[in-house]
Amino acid sequence: MLDKFFNITGQGSSMKTEIVAGLTTFATMAYILAVNPYFLSVAGMDYGAVMTATALSAVIATLVMALVAKLPFALAPGMGLNAFFAFTVCGVMGCSWQLALTAVFAEGIIFLLLTFFNVREAIINSIPTNIKHAISVGIGLFIAFIGLAHQDVAIIVQGQGIPVHLGNLHAPGALLCILGIIVIGVLLIRKVKGAILIGLLIITVVGLIPGLEITNLPKDGALVSLPPSLKPIFFQFVGFEEILSWKFVSILFVFLFVDMFDTVGTLVGVASKADLLDEEGRVPRVKQALFADAIGTTAGAVLGTSTVTTYVESAAGVAEGGKTGMTSLVVAFMFFLALFFTPLFTMIPAAASSSVLVIIGIFMMSPITKINFEDYSEFIPAFLTMIMMPLSYSIAEGIAFGMLSYVILKVLTGRYKELNIAMICIAFIFVLKYVYNIGE
Ligand SMILES: Nc1nc2[nH]cnc2c(=O)[nH]1
């Protein structure tokens, strides 16, 4: 029945492949169950309640992705915007978390409307093919960088006088991450099914060796626990008088902008990697996928968490052969289980997930061969898209640099016939963003 509903065999996949893919994606995302509550608790929110909201919002959004869009993508509160929520909006700007949550809710509603009126779909379809390939490559570089620079791994660290440099390779976190890359690499070369998942488990077990202190053991030894109550953060929005301010509008704009281009980039990049794009380079059922994202953000804000987004980690399951909504159904089920087994799932150490991020980074690089290297009006924007993602630490900024340079170069070389109205509108919005420093 599930095979028929998701057309698993028809798409050249199998039930086993889809389940392994779902488990793999979940394993690379499980860290969010611990990290999101940690970030939002810095903003004053209740840690346990945010953990429940994180898992529940991931279940809801990923279920919509599985059952309505039938695509192998998983969703959860994003790491870029939860940091912006906690450290910029509530920290630097001094706003209450209730105001920040209201901005997330408003963003979710606007997203629903933009999706309903096909605006987001038009944006995705207007991205030039070479930039679409470059988005995948840029995400690859970005996630490998995230893995290598994770504080518990620190193979790449902040430099003194230079932006970054090599960290201490003798530290256990760095060594285990390197071991993870080698183990998964060997398994992949030997074509072992479930290579990423096996690698994750091996590093988690090796991290248990006494003295290493890599794998996070549950504090009181209990692996099962009831989910904490949502009550302190459920439906906590501010009134109209606080919404009618420039501060609120500028916060809302950043949530909207980053979420929109992050999601667009992730959908295009990971779908391209999964060979899911049609002949014209379009993501199938993209409207439904965007709908899942918008529902996730809106429901997440009601439950009490920052913007829910489509995760780049979905590339891990796709790399294991996941092609259908069955993969995401497994992820949704695992997030549901996680509500009761949080201590178990948060054992996976950063060294293990970071080695996976590096390996996925390598997978995401492969569309580089499809980029047109001969025509500089295509290659320069593609290059800027790729290089700006890791260096600005943002998928959205990478796309902004790529799209802006694309339009400028085509106009200045008299090739404006290759542009369409949507591209010009997007470039114009990016010009406004940079001229007025919105989001800085
Ligand atoms: N696309 C995307 N994937 C993520 N994985 C973890 N955080 C994020 C995020 O903010 N965006």
Side-chain angles (χ1 to χ4, degrees):
M1 196 186 93
L2 282 173
D3 189 346
K4 207 159 150 215
F5 181 75
F6 290 117
N7 190 20
I8 297 175
T9 321
Q11 293 195 59
S13 184
S14 71
M15 199 61 164
K16 190 172 151 218
T17 305
E18 297 286 314
I19 292 175
V20 170
L23 291 177
T24 308
T25 295
F26 172 76
T28 58
M29 291 173 74
Y31 70 89
I32 197 64
L33 291 164
V35 180
N36 199 44
Y38 169 67
F39 274 26
L40 299 196
S41 64
V42 174
M45 298 179 74
D46 182 85
Y47 184 97
V50 176
M51 192 183 270
T52 306
T54 304
L56 268 182
S57 61
V59 171
I60 296 170
T62 310
L63 264 185
V64 179
M65 184 65 85
L67 303 177
V68 183
K70 299 186 185 173
L71 289 168
F73 300 118
L75 300 94
M79 282 296 291
L81 283 176
N82 62 4
F84 176 72
F85 182 112
F87 304 119
T88 308
V89 179
C90 300
V92 180
M93 296 170 84
C95 300
S96 66
W97 57 262
Q98 289 88 342
L99 181 105
L101 270 188
T102 314
V104 174
F105 182 70
E107 186 235 295
I109 299 288
I110 295 176
F111 260 1
L112 275 174
L113 293 175
L114 291 180
T115 305
F116 186 73
F117 291 110
N118 295 336
V119 178
R120 291 221 280 179
E121 207 175 344
I123 291 175
I124 295 193
N125 293 338
S126 73
I127 298 176
T129 310
N130 278 301
I131 294 193
K132 280 187 178 153
H133 296 318
I135 289 173
S136 170
V137 179
I139 292 178
L141 294 172
F142 181 35
I143 54 183
F145 187 37
I146 293 176
L148 293 170
H150 188 289
Q151 60 174 5
D152 294 347
V153 172
I155 292 177
I156 295 296
V157 292
Q158 197 171 358
Q160 278 162 353
I162 47 170
V164 283
H165 69 82
L166 194 63
N168 173 14
L169 295 188
H170 293 192
L175 280 174
L176 274 193
C177 177
I178 294 169
L179 181 67
I181 297 171
I182 295 172
V183 169
I184 301 174
V186 169
L187 293 172
L188 282 172
I189 296 165
R190 290 185 170 273
K191 297 200 179 351
V192 174
K193 272 264 159 226
I196 295 176
L197 195 56
I198 298 172
L200 262 168
L201 290 177
I202 291 178
I203 300 303
T204 305
V205 173
V206 175
L208 287 170
I209 294 174
L212 283 183
E213 285 172 17
I214 292 290
T215 297
N216 325 298
L217 276 174
K219 286 190 189 69
D220 50 10
L223 293 179
V224 185
S225 58
L226 271 182
S229 160
L230 277 177
K231 196 153 176 277
I233 57 169
F234 186 76
F235 216 95
Q236 296 286 329
F237 299 135
V238 294
F240 259 110
E241 57 295 352
E242 286 193 59
I243 294 177
L244 301 173
S245 70
W246 273 114
K247 204 173 183 180
F248 183 83
V249 174
S250 66
I251 295 169
L252 174 62
F253 179 84
V254 176
F255 279 133
L256 202 58
F257 173 84
V258 178
D259 193 15
M260 159 122 51
F261 286 96
D262 185 329
T263 307
V264 166
T266 309
L267 285 177
V268 171
V270 182
S272 144
K273 192 60 222 148
D275 256 338
L276 286 170
L277 298 183
D278 66 15
E279 312 80 58
E280 283 157 49
R282 286 184 305 212
V283 183
R285 296 179 297 286
V286 69
K287 186 169 179 171
Q288 288 86 334
L290 294 170
F291 183 65
D293 201 275
I295 291 276
T297 296
T298 315
V302 172
L303 294 168
T305 177
S306 53
T307 313
V308 170
T309 194
T310 309
Y311 257 46
V312 282
E313 283 85 346
S314 309
V318 161
E320 288 287 359
K323 277 192 171 3
T324 77
M326 186 63 211
T327 296
S328 30
L329 188 64
V330 172
V331 179
F333 178 67
M334 292 304 290
F335 269 112
F336 175 73
L337 275 190
L339 277 169
F340 306 93
F341 291 92
T342 336
L344 181 68
F345 290 123
T346 46
M347 275 173 71
I348 301 168
S353 356
S354 289
S355 56
V356 172
L357 290 183
V358 174
I359 295 283
I360 306 165
I362 298 165
F363 295 149
M364 299 288 294
M365 293 282 297
S366 64
I368 201 166
T369 56
K370 297 188 196 146
I371 294 174
N372 181 347
F373 283 74
E374 309 298 324
D375 179 349
Y376 281 122
S377 73
E378 297 284 330
F379 186 43
I380 294 172
F383 179 73
L384 289 175
T385 306
M386 295 186 274
I387 191 85
M388 288 309 288
M389 276 190 201
L391 297 189
S392 66
Y393 226 71
S394 160
I395 295 174
E397 304 292 358
I399 300 177
F401 268 69
M403 291 295 281
L404 255 180
S405 57
Y406 190 87
V407 172
I408 291 171
L409 292 176
K410 293 285 181 191
V411 168
L412 294 182
T413 51
R415 292 170 60 177
Y416 39 82
K417 286 209 179 86
E418 294 169 37
L419 300 175
N420 59 41
I421 191 78
M423 283 178 199
I424 296 168
C425 292
I426 294 170
F428 185 67
I429 295 172
F430 286 140
V431 169
L432 290 182
K433 167 184 151 52
Y434 289 120
V435 169
Y436 292 102
N437 255 345
I438 299 172
E440 298 304 313

